[in-house]
Amino acid sequence: MFQFILEQPYGQVLLAIVVAGMLCYTLWRLIQAIRDTEDKGKDAKGIGKRIGYAFSGLVYGALAFTAAQLLLGNGGGSNGTDSRQTLARELLAQPFGQWLLGAVAVGTMIMGLYQFYRAYSGKYMNKVQSEQLKPEVRTSLVRAGLVGYIARGIVWLIIGYLLLRAAIKANFREAGSSSQAFQFLEEASYGSYLLGVLALGLICYGVFMFVRAKCEVISTKG
């Protein structure tokens, strides 16, 4: 994915923007975990959710680091690997690398399942000040969030599965390149339609997060 961005016109600028965005998101996730900006509390449930925020931040931080390496000419894009394979390779090179990569894979899949929970529970709307929105806009926002979180959950599960496969076989290439990530969907019956629906879901997620950024309630307690 990062290699594809880099190969586009003004690719270095585009990739630099992506890196900056992921670093900002990483920082925000860590702030959510440490400062408890969503008032999750210090009980077991709250701590669990805050650990989830921290885990998400670390994953995006690792991706940002990988993209930055590629941007600086130190990444693995030139030898046929992409960001996910690079992440898997770096983790497998560490002591207990298979276990470490396996833990990341399982955590990623759990995050995917959590997206489904947020979608069907409607909790993704909890921090949105929707009363300031017109009723028809609010209805559209709820639908966009539902579809978007389901699509996001599918993506997290696919990524987790690929990472788990790489951990089990101790082969970073099993994590798959970006072009291979959804190959099994494309090869399924009506695969192109499935990929189209997934893409539409991710667009809905982007729309929802754009509106949420304007309407979300953020705790600023010290």
Side-chain angles (χ1 to χ4, degrees):
M1 176 180 65
F2 297 140
Q3 182 68 29
F4 174 79
I5 295 174
L6 190 61
E7 291 171 354
Q8 303 311 302
Y10 304 103
Q12 288 185 313
V13 176
L14 292 174
L15 188 56
I17 293 173
V18 170
V19 171
M22 287 194 297
L23 288 175
C24 288
Y25 187 77
T26 298
L27 180 60
W28 170 238
R29 277 306 202 187
L30 294 177
I31 290 174
Q32 282 183 304
I34 297 171
R35 299 297 298 273
D36 193 16
T37 61
E38 295 192 2
D39 294 321
K40 296 302 182 183
K42 296 182 179 179
D43 57 5
K45 182 178 179 181
I47 293 295
K49 290 184 177 180
R50 291 166 66 181
I51 290 175
Y53 293 151
F55 176 80
S56 176
L58 292 176
V59 169
Y60 278 96
L63 290 174
F65 175 75
T66 300
Q69 282 189 311
L70 182 60
L71 183 64
L72 296 174
N74 301 319
S78 59
N79 60 10
T81 61
D82 75 349
S83 57
R84 187 168 49 255
Q85 290 178 327
T86 301
L87 176 62
R89 182 181 60 193
E90 294 297 328
L91 290 176
L92 286 173
Q94 307 305 314
F96 305 102
Q98 280 184 271
W99 289 98
L100 184 59
L101 181 57
V104 171
V106 171
T108 301
M109 297 176 77
I110 290 175
M111 288 296 295
L113 294 175
Y114 181 64
Q115 306 310 305
F116 294 146
Y117 168 72
R118 285 184 64 83
Y120 287 109
S121 67
K123 289 190 175 182
Y124 60 89
M125 290 292 295
N126 284 357
K127 295 295 182 177
V128 180
Q129 293 178 309
S130 56
E131 64 275 2
Q132 62 182 282
L133 301 174
K134 296 180 180 179
E136 60 271 19
V137 175
R138 185 184 189 281
T139 300
S140 298
L141 184 64
V142 170
R143 291 174 179 172
L146 175 63
V147 174
Y149 271 93
I150 291 174
R152 191 167 186 254
I154 293 173
V155 171
W156 278 90
L157 286 176
I158 291 173
I159 293 174
Y161 164 74
L162 293 173
L163 291 175
L164 183 61
R165 188 175 67 180
I168 292 174
K169 297 185 178 181
N171 183 353
F172 72 90
R173 294 191 181 278
E174 291 293 331
S177 65
S178 295
S179 61
Q180 297 169 334
F182 303 104
Q183 186 174 357
F184 61 92
L185 281 179
E186 190 173 12
E187 292 176 349
S189 300
Y190 306 103
S192 297
Y193 294 101
L194 292 175
L195 288 176
V197 170
L198 185 60
L200 180 60
L202 293 175
I203 291 173
C204 288
Y205 180 77
V207 171
F208 172 79
M209 293 303 291
F210 181 81
V211 177
R212 173 179 168 174
K214 178 180 179 181
C215 302
E216 184 174 1
V217 179
I218 300 176
S219 173
T220 58
K221 65 182 182 179

